[in-house]
Amino acid sequence: QVQLVESGGGLVQAGDSLRLSCVASGRTSSTYYMGWFRQAPGKVREIVATINWSGTNTYSADSVKGRFTISRDTAKRTMYLQMNSLKPEDTAVYYCVAGTRSNEYEYWGQGTQVTVSS
């Protein structure tokens, strides 16, 4: 089993920055692929960004490209999402995910709320 714990969410103004962190524990060999999803009230959950074990392969959704950066520190078992130039439409609960196969994430964190005011 893998446990994922997110932190770093909060209430900010448009244009501000936040950095989300996700610490993995347990069977971390199952966290080869990690990523961030988000879900806003009344909207479908969407993928934000993903990263592989070495950090050499990343993906960012078009809606966040150029503003959000995903990274990870395998020694610290931690993944990050640096979010710059935040917009009100970025308001959502952000979930950390992990899995052994690309696009198959069997482990989810509890989520952290990000609220961006205009």
Side-chain angles (χ1 to χ4, degrees):
Q1 285 292 331
V2 173
Q3 294 77 45
L4 303 172
V5 179
E6 305 100 332
S7 62
L11 172 62
V12 297
Q13 293 186 334
D16 285 351
S17 298
L18 277 176
R19 189 176 80 158
L20 304 183
S21 299
C22 173
V23 179
S25 60
R27 190 178 178 185
T28 54
S29 60
S30 297
T31 61
Y32 191 87
Y33 292 97
M34 296 188 74
W36 294 93
F37 279 73
R38 68 185 182 185
Q39 187 164 23
K43 294 191 176 181
V44 177
R45 186 172 59 199
E46 63 175 347
I47 192 167
V48 177
T50 63
I51 189 167
N52 67 341
W53 177 263
S54 62
T56 56
N57 190 0
T58 64
Y59 162 83
S60 295
D62 287 343
S63 59
V64 305
K65 201 164 290 184
R67 299 188 298 122
F68 291 10
T69 302
I70 189 171
S71 62
R72 68 188 294 176
D73 184 333
T74 54
K76 294 183 178 180
R77 300 180 177 182
T78 303
M79 177 181 63
Y80 305 97
L81 185 67
Q82 178 66 44
M83 305 186 294
N84 298 328
S85 302
L86 282 161
K87 304 176 181 180
E89 51 262 45
D90 294 318
T91 295
V93 177
Y94 285 70
Y95 297 92
C96 170
V97 300
T100 55
R101 297 183 179 183
S102 177
N103 296 322
E104 294 184 17
Y105 303 105
E106 57 261 48
Y107 301 106
W108 289 69
Q110 82 286 353
T112 186
Q113 176 72 46
V114 172
T115 303
V116 185
S117 63
S118 57

